[in-house]
Amino acid sequence: MSNLFPDLQSEAPPVVIADLHKSFGDNEVLKGIDLTVQFGEVVCVIGPSGSGKSTLLRCVNLLEKPTKGSIQLLGADMTDPDVELNQVRTHVGMVFQSFNLFPNMTALGNCVIAQRQVLKRSRSEAIEIAKKNLELVGLGDRMDYHPAKLSGGQQQRVAIARALSMDPKVMLFDEPTAALDPELVGDVLAVMRDLAEAGMTMIVVTHEMLFARDVSDRTIFMDGGVIVEEGPSVDLITAPSEKRTQVFLKRVLDPTHIEDSELGETEPD
Amino acid sequence: MSVLPYLKPTVRARLGRLASYAVGVVVLLLVVVFTDWAHIQKVFLNPNVAAQMWPTILTVALKNTLIYTITSFILGSILAVLLAILKITGGPLGWAAAAFIELFRGIPALLTIFTAAYVIPIAFGFQIPGGGPGAGILALTIVTGAYAAEIVRAGIQAVSPGQSEAARSLGMTSGQTMFWVVLPQAMRIVIPPMTNEFVMLLKDTSLLYVAGFAVSEKELTTYGQDALSTTGNATPLVMVALAYLIVTLPLTWLVGRLEKRLDPKR
């Protein structure tokens, strides 16, 4: 794919997060996150489970309401009660760990419904765009299938096509391959890689360290609700400077290897 | 008999079953032998009486029963969806919906029908249009709405929250999300309990007699009771029971097929 999104290059940063806090009851999950994403940038967020990385992503388009802090998304202040969230969300695609396809619609129907209802596109235009995107993710021959008849990898690719059909300026991925059988992960990652190479702005919460290293421009390591370390992906994954990042990456990349020095250590929270 | 304590449990169970079958057969034989079949046939299955009911039992009584049932069911279902959404949304309207549901689930349907037919005209000087049937349909709509609201609410809440999140992340409003994504899935979940509700409603139309009927407005049970008193014979009650069954039995079968057809895993 060549650059499909040339008009998005030279604008102000689409995502600017400042001092973001989020608590569930007494449990503070995010403890002050600052993050700016430039147009065309691909940012991966890694970290142990419970580190707040999914919550961070869900705060970006306000699926979770932040407790404190500000989120600028495509120039709109998402925490301002006067901002029409639906309007902003239209331009921000989201892909979920559990796909969340609409089971009562075909793959094509999943990609058409929001185009018709939200963007008010004509039926023929919406179908044309949906078909184009389903072909883009390699499912041109599965358009009339219901989600239950598709494999997990195929469902997730439909979910990506559904998001792309809204012509998003930013794509958010919440552990898109975590629920997939290992042999199906590759197809989904390949689609995401194509998107990244085509210039899409992406924030990807993931456990796929090799995808982060090879595809993303920048990687963020989160632990305990804060950003512990961030930097160019190759540097962060191959030569992390923080101790916590080193321990995490060692565990993820080589789960069976336990160093003697680690055995006596207490777990980082 | 000394082997009895050493028998396997399965063997003992088989002996027990055999004994109960034997008792059942004996009782059945006694009933068959001592029953006055000729008398029963004359009182409950009298062909002459049955012939007199033909065809009005279908063209008037069953037709009216179906009209009352289907009208109240459709209106009641719409009311149920509204009440369920209000209750889930919460706020003052949610409280009002909850109070409405609790009130009309808590009092007998007969009282609601009576209120619609007599209390409202006396209290407000306002006659509900459609006479006895009109007031009755209104009352059954309210009762069905109150019962089905809880069914629909459970159905809506059984749809995975991820479905709403996906719809909202595409920029759909909460209304669009409800109408296009959540309700269609909730409908599939509520089909079995709503079928139950329909059958209950069908039988509750027999309470409408308190609202008062013209002859051409009578539903099955009132019609049967009238025929019972004019003929002095119980055959009409058997006929009426059969008329209810020719609606409910095919309905159950149809709904089973519908459920299979709507199953996304088919």
Side-chain angles (χ1 to χ4, degrees), chain B residues 78-88 94 96-98 100-101 142 145-146 149:
Chain B
I78 295 169
L79 178 64
V81 171
L82 290 177
L83 287 171
I85 291 174
L86 285 180
K87 193 171 171 187
I88 289 173
F100 184 94
I101 292 168
I142 289 172

Side-chain angles (χ1 to χ4, degrees), chain A residues 24-235:
Chain A
F24 294 103
D26 293 338
N27 182 17
E28 190 170 38
V29 180
L30 298 177
K31 300 170 180 165
I33 304 282
D34 296 285
L35 173 63
T36 300
V37 179
Q38 304 293 336
F39 264 115
E41 199 181 11
V42 177
V43 175
C44 276
V45 184
I46 62 170
S49 63
S51 60
K53 52 193 194 306
S54 281
T55 307
L56 168 63
L57 196 72
R58 292 162 57 82
C59 280
V60 172
N61 66 355
L62 233 73
L63 283 184
E64 300 290 356
K65 203 170 184 295
T67 318
K68 195 182 133 202
S70 81
I71 299 164
Q72 298 276 333
L73 186 53
L74 298 166
D77 180 357
M78 297 296 276
T79 49
D80 181 346
D82 292 337
V83 165
E84 176 60 57
L85 292 180
N86 298 323
Q87 200 69 43
V88 186
R89 285 176 179 149
T90 308
H91 305 293
V92 180
M94 183 148 188
V95 175
F96 300 86
Q97 178 176 353
S98 50
F99 327 136
N100 294 348
L101 289 182
F102 308 134
N104 50 328
M105 304 172 197
T106 61
L108 189 69
N110 267 278
C111 298
V112 164
I113 179 77
Q115 292 191 66
R116 296 276 289 138
Q117 296 304 320
V118 179
L119 302 179
K120 308 293 180 196
R121 283 178 180 154
S122 73
R123 176 180 257 298
S124 56
E125 188 190 5
I127 289 177
E128 193 186 317
I129 291 171
K131 281 185 173 166
K132 184 195 77 184
N133 284 308
L134 283 167
E135 273 157 15
L136 197 74
V137 300
L139 292 173
D141 56 341
R142 293 284 187 277
M143 293 188 197
D144 298 326
Y145 284 54
H146 279 81
K149 293 274 190 183
L150 297 172
S151 74
Q154 290 170 335
Q155 288 189 55
Q156 193 59 297
R157 284 185 282 152
V158 173
I160 295 173
R162 174 173 73 177
L164 288 177
S165 296
M166 303 297 284
D167 297 331
K169 298 185 173 175
V170 177
M171 287 281 285
L172 310 173
F173 293 84
D174 186 5
E175 305 197 24
T177 58
L180 297 176
D181 289 338
E183 79 271 21
L184 302 176
V185 169
D187 291 342
V188 173
L189 291 183
V191 168
M192 291 168 61
R193 174 193 284 264
D194 287 349
L195 270 181
E197 284 170 0
M200 176 59 83
T201 309
M202 295 162 58
I203 305 179
V204 185
V205 171
T206 187
H207 290 293
E208 301 290 339
M209 297 306 144
L210 301 182
F211 176 86
R213 186 192 68 189
D214 298 341
V215 178
S216 69
D217 304 303
R218 183 153 54 109
T219 295
I220 289 167
F221 173 69
M222 279 182 70
D223 195 6
V226 294
I227 294 178
V228 175
E229 183 174 0
E230 68 179 299
S233 299
V234 177
D235 300 351

